[in-house]
Amino acid sequence: MIDQSVCLAGVTLKNPIVAASGTFGFGREYGTFYDLSELGAICVKGLTPRRREGNPPPRIAETPMGIINSVGLQNPGVDAFIAAELPELRRHDVKIIANISGDTPEEYGEMCEKLSAAGVDLVEVNISCPNVKAGGLAYGTKPELAAEVTALAKRHSTVPVMVKLSPNVTDITEIAKAVAEAGADALSLINTLRGMRIDVNTRRPILRQNTGGLSGPAVLPVAVRMVWEVACAVKLPILGMGGVSCGSDAVQLMLAGASAVAVGTACFTDPYAPVKVRDELTQIAQSQGHGRVAELTGGVLPW
Amino acid sequence: MSLQKICEIIAAEPLTPHAYSITLEAGRIAEEARAGQFVHIRCGDGLLLRRPISICDVNGSRLRIVFEVRGEGTRWLALRGAGEALDVLGPLGHGFDLTGEKLLLVGGGIGVPPMLHTANCSGGEVHAALGFRSADRAMLISEFQQAAKTVAVASDDGSIGVHGYVDGLVREAAARENGFSAILACGPKPMLRSVAAVAAELQIPCQVSMEERMGCGVGACLVCACKTADGHYRHACKDGPVFRAEEVCWDD
Ligand SMILES: Cc1cc2nc3c(=O)[nH]c(=O)nc-3n(C[C@H](O)[C@H](O)[C@H](O)COP(=O)(O)OP(=O)(O)OC[C@H]3O[C@@H](n4cnc5c(N)ncnc54)[C@H](O)[C@@H]3O)c2cc1C
Ligand SMILES: Cc1cc2nc3c(=O)[nH]c(=O)nc-3n(C[C@H](O)[C@H](O)[C@H](O)COP(=O)(O)O)c2cc1C
């Protein structure tokens, strides 16, 4: 049997498939369909220092081969996560990645301290949420701010820090380089692309917030391109995501330079999507004669 | 426990010029279904999001849904025929609490179908109040007559039953039959709001089934937010679709 394990910023995942933040809750729901230990890692719903209610509904609109969401980081707060959800997640043999968003760089630092102490395996610093006013995307589109948040997160963490990049920028490598210089251990990309959909009869946007973040198969080519650009520009391991719904989608992201791959929106269509993507990816690597799936990383042969 | 299953269509037929009925061989999804729960159905390869449809009735391992064509997904569903298969996730959600000796079930429009399963699940005495826009949209009345002690019908235009809304029927039923233990309702939000108001006035506990645009259907993605009276958001797919009327924020 082919070796499925991969390494992400010094953390060994038993396979390269990660549940994407915000699409998998804290694992409880999909854990009734399959054993969470089937996955390489679970990236939990975005956490904030205190409980957040999120945005008014409707929070979702369907688009051709995609969805636009504006959940607005609804979550119980970092302390409630540590007390009520983390112990439950820890009962499974799966790495836990805590996804965090703050309103100030200091808030990121504060959460990193708590989560490191609580024993998550990795912190994913979200500087790319398009659905909140403060923090979020504001940090992800300016290299100096992205670097400042990264440096603070690093200073307050004892576990590896991965920074999640936004595709809503002109040059993603500029942000990637700034974050790498500030000490990030890994990068994850892409978060959702800003989008909008209007009901032509009511002339109202479907989303109550007017705009939201586009994800799903429609964004895969953008994700592959951006992972490839970032992989060429910086030497950090990459968690690739955006539109993966089958094994060959995941292989594309790995060939472009990702060490591991997250599956998000595909779960809504098929709860078993992450497990199926893992099996298909393994199958493809095996049929191409690899002994380890990790050998796919960066294997693209660009013209 | 909910599961995903490819279910064979046993029967598919139009019920009214606007509504369709599909009966599925759904195995444990049907066997475990409780009143007020729903199934999340994949509507072809081109649509990423499943469509939530209430369970209208259950017979052993067979499950029936009734739906109106509203857009792409339900249009696709309406074109399915016996022998084809549907990808179904279910049973999902928190349904109706059926405790009580005597229940008044209230359905409006496409909110009528789930009240049939609710009637068939309840052990006690059941009365039904059903509202439709017009006679050509009326459905399932004879099934309700089998399942309930009394069935009152109203229509917005007077073309069938009483001319008026279901909240009027609720008042009448409460005046006629004393001692309802609870009122259980499903329908459009304005209807639920007025039924909840009447129930509060009559001091009868009321439960309502809410609709909201959904993603995963299982409680993981948090998109189907329903605002509650305390200002928090809960989720139609997992905390609901059935909520106690006093839990719901009725403004907007
Ligand atoms: C818990 C629950 C139970 C339901 N039970 C029934 C039922 O038994 N029979 C029935 O006819 N309808 C029912 N509905 C409404 C049904 O889900 C929508 O009519 C259907 O999703 C419309 O899909 P579409 O592709 O035809 O419409 P489109 O407008 O093309 O759909 C676009 C998107 O919006 C969503 N959407 C549109 N209208 C609604 C709505 N009213 N509620 C939730 N999501 C919506 C769709 O699911 C889809 O994601 C129920 C809704 C919920 C939440
Ligand atoms: C409903 C929803 C909620 C999300 N919430 C978060 C979040 O809290 N934090 C975050 O970093 N990304 C969040 N994302 C983005 C995903 O993690 C992922 O980057 C994006 O959806 C692209 O992958 P996909 O096409 O496989 O879904 C969310 C996405 C969706 C669809």
Side-chain angles (χ1 to χ4, degrees):
Chain A
M1 183 63 181
I2 181 171
D3 178 2
Q4 297 188 36
S5 68
V6 298
C7 183
L8 186 66
V11 178
T12 301
L13 315 187
K14 70 159 91 66
N15 66 62
I17 303 303
V18 179
S21 177
T23 62
F24 210 78
F26 299 118
R28 288 179 188 265
E29 294 78 18
Y30 290 112
T32 67
F33 289 91
Y34 43 87
D35 186 347
L36 298 177
S37 315
E38 298 275 329
L39 304 177
I42 293 170
C43 192
V44 302
K45 174 64 197 167
L47 301 167
T48 52
R50 280 157 296 281
R51 173 189 177 127
R52 267 181 79 100
E53 288 303 327
N55 293 330
R59 293 178 174 183
I60 190 165
E62 198 176 38
T63 62
M65 280 296 133
I67 60 168
I68 316 178
N69 89 83
S70 76
V71 172
L73 295 177
Q74 179 170 13
N75 80 96
V78 69
D79 298 325
F81 165 75
I82 290 170
E85 302 292 343
L86 189 57
E88 187 61 29
L89 280 165
R90 274 287 168 237
R91 294 178 37 226
H92 303 274
D93 175 24
V94 60
K95 300 295 184 204
I96 304 302
I97 305 175
N99 178 281
I100 58 168
S101 288
D103 283 339
T104 61
E106 289 69 31
E107 286 190 352
Y108 283 95
E110 183 197 317
M111 285 187 280
C112 284
E113 237 161 62
K114 289 181 175 175
L115 290 160
S116 296
V120 301
D121 296 293
L122 229 111
V123 171
E124 181 178 52
V125 174
N126 183 5
I127 51 166
S128 45
C129 180
N131 297 322
V132 292
K133 284 209 179 69
L137 198 49
Y139 293 128
T141 51
K142 298 201 177 61
E144 323 76 62
L145 289 178
E148 187 188 342
V149 171
T150 306
L152 225 93
K154 267 306 280 178
R155 200 172 321 136
H156 292 272
S157 296
T158 55
V159 297
V161 170
M162 176 162 76
V163 179
K164 186 162 181 178
L165 305 183
S166 170
N168 301 299
V169 292
T170 313
D171 181 1
I172 195 166
T173 64
E174 203 185 24
I175 311 278
K177 283 178 195 154
V179 164
E181 262 166 45
D185 301 296
L187 300 174
S188 61
L189 61 144
I190 55 175
N191 206 318
T192 55
L193 286 136
R194 294 190 67 205
M196 181 172 184
R197 184 168 174 185
I198 301 170
D199 181 323
V200 295
N201 295 316
T202 62
R203 303 201 168 191
R204 288 283 199 186
I206 305 277
L207 297 176
R208 190 64 176 74
Q209 293 295 101
N210 297 317
T211 65
L214 177 68
S215 62
V219 311
L220 176 71
V222 179
V224 173
R225 186 265 295 181
M226 288 190 157
V227 166
W228 181 59
E229 284 180 346
V230 168
C232 293
V234 299
K235 286 274 149 294
L236 292 179
I238 295 171
L239 171 61
M241 72 191 89
V244 172
S245 56
C246 64
S248 71
D249 296 346
V251 171
Q252 284 195 59
L253 284 172
M254 289 188 73
L255 292 174
S259 298
V261 172
V263 178
T265 303
C267 294
F268 305 170
T269 313
D270 179 359
Y272 292 91
V275 180
K276 288 182 184 163
V277 168
R278 178 201 63 187
D279 292 347
E280 290 167 10
L281 174 141
T282 308
Q283 177 61 40
I284 292 170
Q286 204 156 17
S287 70
Q288 294 186 349
H290 291 287
R292 300 165 51 228
V293 295
E295 289 163 12
L296 292 168
T297 298
V300 63
L301 302 170
W303 298 103
Chain B
M1 252 260 295
S2 40
L3 58 146
Q4 182 190 15
K5 190 174 151 61
I6 305 299
C7 300
E8 194 195 331
I9 299 177
I10 304 299
E13 71 233 344
L15 202 59
T16 71
H18 309 276
Y20 294 80
S21 168
I22 291 182
T23 303
L24 299 164
E25 179 53 55
R28 269 177 50 212
I29 298 181
E31 285 151 16
E32 293 181 15
R34 292 190 306 274
Q37 287 192 303
F38 69 97
V39 287
H40 215 23
I41 304 179
R42 189 147 183 216
C43 296
D45 290 335
L47 298 175
L48 296 184
L49 295 178
R50 291 166 178 268
R51 291 340 191 220
I53 303 287
S54 299
I55 294 164
C56 166
D57 208 2
V58 164
N59 187 353
S61 62
R62 294 196 171 177
L63 181 148
R64 183 183 186 192
I65 53 168
V66 169
F67 58 94
E68 272 184 7
V69 173
R70 289 291 166 84
E72 257 191 285
T74 47
R75 196 173 306 125
W76 181 90
L77 210 53
L79 294 173
R80 307 287 51 90
E84 291 185 59
L86 290 179
D87 177 346
V88 180
L89 199 60
L92 299 173
H94 165 86
F96 288 109
D97 174 359
L98 299 178
T99 39
E101 299 285 288
K102 192 168 170 180
L103 303 176
L104 177 56
L105 310 187
V106 186
I110 202 61
V112 165
M115 302 322 291
L116 182 61
H117 185 222
T118 308
N120 288 330
C121 286
S122 73
E125 185 178 315
V126 170
H127 297 259
L130 312 177
F132 301 100
R133 223 183 292 166
S134 52
D136 66 333
R137 291 184 185 259
M139 58 167 103
L140 303 172
I141 293 175
S142 58
E143 281 95 329
F144 273 95
Q145 282 162 345
Q146 303 274 314
K149 192 165 174 206
T150 66
V151 181
V153 175
S155 57
D156 299 1
D157 65 356
S159 57
I160 186 169
V162 178
H163 191 169
Y165 297 123
V166 282
D167 48 315
L169 300 181
V170 171
R171 276 184 199 286
E172 276 172 30
R176 192 183 63 230
E177 310 275 337
N178 40 34
F180 279 118
S181 343
I183 295 175
L184 317 184
C186 184
K189 194 165 179 186
M191 177 206 109
L192 295 178
R193 186 191 288 119
S194 23
V195 170
V198 173
E201 190 190 309
L202 301 172
Q203 298 189 315
I204 304 172
C206 180
Q207 301 165 43
V208 293
S209 180
M210 307 292 290
E211 279 190 0
E212 194 46 70
R213 285 178 183 251
M214 275 183 192
C216 67
V218 299
C221 78
L222 310 183
V223 306
C224 55
C226 292
K227 196 168 198 169
T228 50
D230 57 10
H232 296 312
Y233 283 117
R234 302 185 72 200
H235 298 95
C237 74
K238 194 180 182 185
D239 306 315
V242 177
F243 295 93
R244 284 182 289 116
E246 66 273 20
E247 277 182 296
V248 176
C249 172
W250 293 108
D251 330 330
D252 69 64

